[in-house]
């Protein structure tokens, strides 16, 4: 999973772009006659951005249904997450087996389970489990409308961990943007409490999810060399390890007993929704990388912020909720702070690229 520093976007960009050479998915660089027409490029970008928005928003609403639907009444969040990890691993393996068939799978590496590599990836897998589980538990206990605010502290943890673990400082303007995010988070918590919809369990898992996203980004950078820099291999090993680690957790929390008494366990519609959720979970990584390919990491982050705004509005409309002015203000503070942070970091990265005299130690290797 962006998060990542090598951000999730940075990792996907490297994995899908290969770090060099021409990108077969993008228009050719160079002379004007070789470059795709502006309208065609604009249409490609619009289609990719819409695909990212649709996949991301649909995945959140679908997971909310699986985790907290009154009609489904399935109290087994670890099983839902386990199934999505298992499906992701199976899809990675299936696409790898299809690589010999040519496009669109020709560029995928061959996958085989190496116990030594699996052990090397295990620390990252533990963090990964914390990330996906806490994300889902946050979504289970808070509304979709508040979900973005509930787990909005990822940027703040990025800055904090960059300083504590990597000894990298952050500019004043970026810190001010983080301050706006923190203010929006606490105002949102206050307003949820005032409306009687506050779940401290959801807030706890939202904060934990934010921390795990940041840790996942840092550990991902450290583990990538073990899998030869391949995001596909890393995704495969991560999800296989997660499936193994989820089993004792599900036993410990009694989820197998819950599943035994679940009245829709044999329902094709239930398994259809579970499969669809897993496919969306797998697809979000690809469409994220695709959006970065056709735009840029900065534009992707801006698109993600705008998507979060649209998702909040859609959730309020769909669930027929009424929110106060201060509640909306908290959302705008979080989104505005996230946008400002992205913009500031984009400007700083541009200055680094333009100034070859910047010391390597001053560069933010995590991408935050």
């Amino acid at each position: 999973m962006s998060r990542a520093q090598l951000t999730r976007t940075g990792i996907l960009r490297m994995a899908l772009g290969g770090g060099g050479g021409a990108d077969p998915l993008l228009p050719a660089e160079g002379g004007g006659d070789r470059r795709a027409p502006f309208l065609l490029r604009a249409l490609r970008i619009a289609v990719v951005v819409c695909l990212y928005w649709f996949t991301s928003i649909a995945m959140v609403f679908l997971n909310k249904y699986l985790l907290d639907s009154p009609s489904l009444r399935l109290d087994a969040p670890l099983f839902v997450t386990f199934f999505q990890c298992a499906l992701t691993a199976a899809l990675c393996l299936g696409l790898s087996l299809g690589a010999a068939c040519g496009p669109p799978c020709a560029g995928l590496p061959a996958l085989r389970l190496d116990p030594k590599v699996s052990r090397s990836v295990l620390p990252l897998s533990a963090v990964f489990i914390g990330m996906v589980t806490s994300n889902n538990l946050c979504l289970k206990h808070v509304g979709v409308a508040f979900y973005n605010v509930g787990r909005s502290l990822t940027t703040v943890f990025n800055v904090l961990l960059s300083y504590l673990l990597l000894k990298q400082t952050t500019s004043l303007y970026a810190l001010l943007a983080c301050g706006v995010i923190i203010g929006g988070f606490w105002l949102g918590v206050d307003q949820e409490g005032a409306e009687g919809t506050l779940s401290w369990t959801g807030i706890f898992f939202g904060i934990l999810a934010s921390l795990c996203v940041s840790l996942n980004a840092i550990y991902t950078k450290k583990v990538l060399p073990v899998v030869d820099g391949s995001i596909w291999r890393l995704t495969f090993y991560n999800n296989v390890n997660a499936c193994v680690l989820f089993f004792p957790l599900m036993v410990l929390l009694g989820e197998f007993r819950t599943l035994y008494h679940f009245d829709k366990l044999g329902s094709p519609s239930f398994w259809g929704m579970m499969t669809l959720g897993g496919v969306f979970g797998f697809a979000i990584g690809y469409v994220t990388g695709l959006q970065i390919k056709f735009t840029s990491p900065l534009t992707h982050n801006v698109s993600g912020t705008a998507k979060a705004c649209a998702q909040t509005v859609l959730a309020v409309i769909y669930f027929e909720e009424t929110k106060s002015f201060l509640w909306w203000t908290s959302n705008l503070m979080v989104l505005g702070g996230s946008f400002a942070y992205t913009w500031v970091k984009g400007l700083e990265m541009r200055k680094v690229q333009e100034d070859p005299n910047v010391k390597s130690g001053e560069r933010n290797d995590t991408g935050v």
Side-chain angles (χ1 to χ4, degrees), residues 31-337:
D33 51 329
R34 294 177 57 196
R35 190 177 179 87
F38 171 77
L39 287 178
L40 179 58
R41 287 185 284 119
L43 180 61
R44 284 174 176 171
I45 291 173
V47 169
V48 168
V49 170
C50 288
L51 183 62
Y52 167 76
W53 279 41
F54 170 77
T55 304
S56 181
I57 293 175
M59 182 181 68
V60 171
F61 276 86
L62 190 55
N63 278 343
K64 182 63 176 177
Y65 168 78
L66 292 171
L67 293 165
D68 193 39
S69 170
S71 61
L72 198 60
R73 299 191 306 276
L74 174 62
D75 187 21
L78 291 185
F79 170 72
V80 172
T81 312
F82 160 80
F83 182 85
Q84 292 176 349
C85 289
L87 187 58
T88 296
L91 287 171
C92 285
L93 187 59
L95 288 173
S96 175
L97 294 175
C101 301
C105 300
L108 299 182
L111 294 177
R112 64 181 182 85
L113 191 60
D114 185 335
K116 183 178 179 181
V117 175
S118 183
R119 285 195 299 270
S120 299
V121 176
L122 196 57
L124 172 63
S125 300
V127 175
F128 173 75
I129 283 180
M131 180 182 72
V132 294
T133 303
S134 53
N135 264 317
N136 279 349
L137 287 172
C138 174
L139 184 58
K140 176 179 173 64
H141 291 285
V142 304
V144 176
F146 187 68
Y147 179 58
N148 286 306
V149 175
R151 51 186 294 278
S152 63
L153 297 181
T154 299
T155 300
V156 178
F157 281 117
N158 286 343
V159 172
L160 184 61
L161 293 176
S162 292
Y163 179 75
L164 293 177
L165 301 180
L166 305 174
K167 307 303 179 186
Q168 293 167 349
T169 57
T170 303
S171 69
L172 176 61
Y173 289 118
L175 289 175
L176 288 175
C178 290
V180 173
I181 294 173
I182 294 173
F185 172 81
W186 283 114
L187 180 59
V189 170
D190 175 74
Q191 290 304 298
E192 284 285 300
E195 295 180 5
T197 54
L198 177 65
S199 167
W200 283 108
T201 301
I203 296 299
F204 168 77
F205 283 116
I207 295 174
L208 183 60
S210 300
L211 174 62
C212 287
V213 166
S214 298
L215 286 173
N216 182 74
I218 293 173
Y219 275 98
T220 296
K221 180 184 176 182
K222 293 182 178 181
V223 171
L224 265 175
V226 176
V227 291
D228 302 320
S230 170
I231 193 65
W232 292 104
R233 286 196 180 101
L234 183 61
T235 300
F236 174 70
Y237 278 104
N238 233 354
N239 283 278
V240 168
N241 283 348
C243 290
V244 174
L245 294 174
F246 268 126
F247 260 95
L249 292 175
M250 289 190 292
V251 171
L252 193 63
L253 296 177
E255 291 202 358
F256 286 111
R257 191 184 313 113
T258 301
L259 289 170
Y260 179 77
H261 295 288
F262 181 52
D263 58 352
K264 295 182 178 64
L265 193 61
S267 168
S269 62
F270 165 70
W271 288 109
M273 295 296 281
M274 287 284 286
T275 302
L276 191 59
V279 170
F280 274 118
F282 173 81
I284 188 63
Y286 178 74
V287 296
T288 297
L290 203 61
Q291 179 170 247
I292 296 166
K293 272 181 169 289
F294 279 87
T295 58
S296 69
L298 175 61
T299 304
H300 164 69
N301 288 332
V302 172
S303 173
T305 302
K307 186 275 305 181
C309 181
Q311 179 177 294
T312 299
V313 173
L314 284 173
V316 170
I317 295 173
Y318 180 79
F319 293 105
E320 299 180 346
E321 299 172 341
T322 302
K323 301 297 183 181
S324 67
F325 173 77
L326 287 178
W327 187 93
W328 286 108
T329 301
S330 72
N331 276 266
L332 290 176
M333 288 176 67
V334 167
L335 295 173

